[in-house]
Amino acid sequence: MTSGPESRRKTTAPDTGAVPGTVRPGGRTARVREAVLRAAGDALAEHGFAHLDLAEVARRAQVGKTTVYRRWGTVTALLADLLDDMAEQSEPRTETGTLLDDLAANAALVCRTLTDPRQGALFKAVIAAATCDTTAAEALHRFYAARVAEWAPCVRQAADRGEVPADTDPEQVIRAVSAPLYYQLLTTGAPLDRAAAERAARSAYAAACAGVFRREQ
Amino acid sequence: MTSGPESRRKTTAPDTGAVPGTVRPGGRTARVREAVLRAAGDALAEHGFAHLDLAEVARRAQVGKTTVYRRWGTVTALLADLLDDMAEQSEPRTETGTLLDDLAANAALVCRTLTDPRQGALFKAVIAAATCDTTAAEALHRFYAARVAEWAPCVRQAADRGEVPADTDPEQVIRAVSAPLYYQLLTTGAPLDRAAAERAARSAYAAACAGVFRREQ
DNA sequence: GTGTTAACGGGACCGGAGTTCCGTTAACTG
DNA sequence: CAGTTAACGGAACTCCGGTCCCGTTAACAC
């Protein structure tokens, strides 16, 4: 009863089940992706997550509405892709020689990122998306895991120098630097300034020295 | 040219500009509000912020769709009202006698709240809403300001006892307890367990003792 | 170069969120 | 206990986000 595969052979390919953009990722496809991600970032910085619609993104990117829906489908999926794209352009870690200064540098970097109108808006949006969508949440976890892993070595070096207990978990220290900054961004109206960054670094440093972040047992 | 106020006097009142529910807040109006807030909480725990629509809330609450749109209008406004409602039912602070234990009690409370399926979902949703809507953001700030103010006294008492520097800012200490818990909830997949709460309390305590949260100068 | 077909793009289409209209119910006043 | 009218509720309507269809363009293979 099934119509044979040779019947109705059209120029339109049968669905391969795969996501569009994976078989011929060059040229036009790459240009479209770039334009859409840029437009999405712009729209996000203006309207925020709640009022972001794919049709408008398509318009801004001068790309067919259908294309955006076919390749990304949902706002959260687009955000996840945007975050993955951004993960590739992270500033390299600086090394100062002391743990406190390294942490301060990290805090300043986080602070700068969250304060930047464009990046800040993006992060807020992705966090919002992550609260209600698994795909976005996983992208966010991946992103922070990578960032934390990049900065962890400075804690390991400090442990070698004897600045903190030898069995200190480096990743916990790095997260302790970011936590108060994100918390302040989300739950208070107060602006993220240099003092807040300084405090975040000193707080994480004091806790690490006190042995709060030592591994279990 | 304006039609006089006596012309066309209908039974329907002219718009007073005020939000419905403020002039006759008793009886039916109160019942409607209660039913809608309950239904909104239920829907939120199920679908999350992104897929919450007011029509469904109205259906669950067995209330006219029009009523919900008239009184709240947007999802974020409804969330703000829901948060204000929740702010009234906070558990009272416990007093243990030492700062570290007080902070641990606070951390445990926050942890319990965020872990609870219903309250946790609500908080995630409100945070998401706050990232893109001023009304929700203000409600969130009010909420945390109240919570922080409730717990601040334990730091003040500790300062009197000499546990921490006298010019320690109590609110910063309390926020330092919550920050890592919220950060973990949002940016990692790791579950919020007792150990995380314990760490949050000890970290804030160590930093406070080290004088990180002293007021400017 | 030529051929295949992945990927794009315009336009018609559809469903449901949000609005408007107006009649009904019941909260407050005296 | 009436009278006034704030607030509710059903139903029709509008508008637009998201989908579908199908023709066009151009990436990759040879």
Side-chain angles (χ1 to χ4, degrees), chain A residues 13 21-24 63-64 66-67 70-71:
Chain A
T22 54
V23 180
R24 288 179 185 175
V63 154
T66 314
T67 299
R70 187 168 32 223
R71 284 191 57 183

Side-chain angles (χ1 to χ4, degrees), chain B residues 49-109:
Chain B
F49 168 63
H51 304 293
L52 183 67
D53 82 296
L54 299 188
E56 191 202 339
V57 170
R59 217 176 306 126
R60 281 175 184 254
Q62 305 202 44
V63 155
K65 184 172 67 158
T66 313
T67 300
V68 177
Y69 280 106
R70 186 168 31 225
R71 283 191 56 182
W72 289 279
T74 65
V75 171
T76 52
L78 178 57
L79 283 178
D81 197 16
L82 191 52
L83 191 65
D84 282 339
D85 183 68
M86 176 174 290
E88 294 163 11
Q89 327 153 1
S90 77
E91 293 181 36
R93 165 170 78 94
T94 56
E95 295 193 36
T96 63
T98 71
L99 179 57
L100 182 55
D101 287 339
D102 282 348
L103 296 183
N106 182 24
L109 171 61

Side-chain angles (χ1 to χ4, degrees), chain A residues 212 216, chain B residues 103-113 115 177 181 184 190-202:
Chain A
V212 174
E216 302 300 320
Chain B
L103 296 183
N106 182 24
L109 171 61
V110 171
C111 198
R112 233 180 302 130
T113 304
T115 304
V177 174
L181 299 173
Q184 181 171 336
L192 280 176
D193 53 11
R194 198 153 296 258
E198 191 69 23
R199 238 181 288 126
R202 289 202 292 144

